[in-house]
Amino acid sequence: MRLKFEVMDNILVVYLDGELDHHSAEEVREDIDNNIDSRNIRNLIFELSNMNFMDSSGIGVVIGRYKKIDKSGGKVGVVNSNPHVDRIFQMAGIYKIIHKYKTKDEALANIQRGE
Amino acid sequence: MNFDNYMKIKFSSKSQNESFARVVVASFVSQLDPTIEELADIKTAVSEAVTNAIIHGYENSSEEVVIECKIIGNTIIIVIEDSGNGIKDIELARQPLYTSKPELERSGMGFTVMETFMDEVYIESEEGKGTKIQMTKKIKVVQNGE
């Protein structure tokens, strides 16, 4: 799993490239949390175009980051999830708490407007 | 039971082997010409069962996980077995969102994922002896010209 980070204002965009399972989850979790804490981040966007595998470990990672961001009143978004990832997220009811956007720009614009 | 093809692998219960296990099973299943979606379903279900064996069966101590796959016609039968702790209450473990280890940020959706993505999931478990998960899935045959 390769992680890439971009920061715009107080929004952290994290690109998850590769496979998210129990093995990679711990590192992913730590890396994202370190970035949130050290860069004054309020909102988070998961960019998933290049995530080619995810099991239920991904649900834990996303919900865990949601809880952290939600505590300080921020928003979490998901961009470019493939149909397989969508099915797993829907199964767990993730889209009831986290908004899904078609593009990164749409996500950034909505989150910047505070929606 | 008669079967058309068979394989068995045994590996250390290390989390690095989660991806190894699902890739091996996916390669074996590929002889049935599954769709990308069917293959993703199988990989995900295998990943869940192997992760359970590592985290819950052995609680991260290094022992052995065994996977057996059988092909009968167009059906794949996958058996994933550990000789670890076993499951105390199988009905409870099957409940969506139930996790015996909430401190690990696990979602408790492992069995729900297996049951959603596979046709059948049987669980056999005895405390102190281990757990055996058997999952089957019928791969749809694509007719010529479709």
Side-chain angles (χ1 to χ4, degrees), chain B residues 17-138:
Chain B
N17 288 333
E18 290 157 9
S19 68
F20 165 75
R22 59 182 182 258
V23 169
V24 169
V25 174
S27 318
F28 187 72
V29 174
S30 65
Q31 60 194 284
L32 295 177
D33 289 326
T35 61
I36 290 170
E37 195 187 338
E38 286 167 332
L39 215 49
D41 290 354
I42 291 167
K43 283 171 81 173
T44 312
V46 169
S47 202
E48 300 295 349
V50 171
T51 301
N52 277 352
I54 294 171
I55 303 181
H56 302 288
Y58 295 125
E59 299 199 296
N60 298 312
S61 69
S62 185
E63 298 190 48
E64 283 174 344
V65 180
V66 178
I67 300 185
E68 280 182 276
C69 291
K70 289 172 198 162
I71 289 173
I72 300 172
N74 264 314
T75 301
I76 177 83
I77 301 168
I78 305 165
V79 178
I80 298 172
E81 199 171 358
D82 67 68
S83 320
N85 296 329
I87 302 169
K88 203 174 188 174
D89 184 341
I90 294 179
E91 280 321 301
L92 185 61
R94 287 182 106 122
Q95 298 290 317
L97 305 174
Y98 172 79
T99 173
S100 58
K101 297 193 185 301
E103 71 281 6
L104 291 184
E105 219 176 62
R106 305 287 312 160
S107 64
M109 293 296 285
F111 279 119
T112 308
V113 167
M114 289 180 236
E115 283 164 353
T116 307
F117 289 164
M118 301 297 282
D119 296 340
E120 286 169 354
V121 178
Y122 301 103
I123 308 169
E124 253 179 66
S125 191
E126 198 180 329
E127 269 191 284
K129 290 259 172 78
T131 300
K132 185 170 164 180
I133 311 279
Q134 178 173 314
M135 308 186 277
T136 62
K137 191 176 180 76
K138 188 166 185 185

Side-chain angles (χ1 to χ4, degrees), chain A residues 45-88:
Chain A
I45 296 171
F46 289 99
E47 217 288 354
L48 306 179
S49 328
N50 293 314
M51 190 164 78
N52 36 47
F53 177 83
M54 187 191 86
D55 65 17
S56 73
S57 310
I59 300 169
V61 169
V62 171
I63 292 182
R65 308 295 72 66
Y66 168 79
K67 284 183 182 159
K68 187 175 169 74
I69 291 285
D70 186 57
K71 252 186 215 161
S72 49
K75 295 268 180 252
V76 179
V78 172
V79 177
N80 284 329
S81 50
N82 68 39
H84 189 75
V85 170
D86 273 348
R87 262 178 92 192
I88 294 175

Side-chain angles (χ1 to χ4, degrees), chain A residues 9-33:
Chain A
D9 302 327
N10 54 14
I11 306 173
L12 177 69
V13 183
V14 50
Y15 292 79
L16 294 171
D17 296 356
E19 310 203 325
L20 181 52
D21 60 7
H22 156 249
H23 177 68
S24 57
E26 193 173 326
E27 198 186 326
V28 168
R29 191 179 291 142
E30 273 176 24
D31 259 19
I32 297 177
D33 285 355

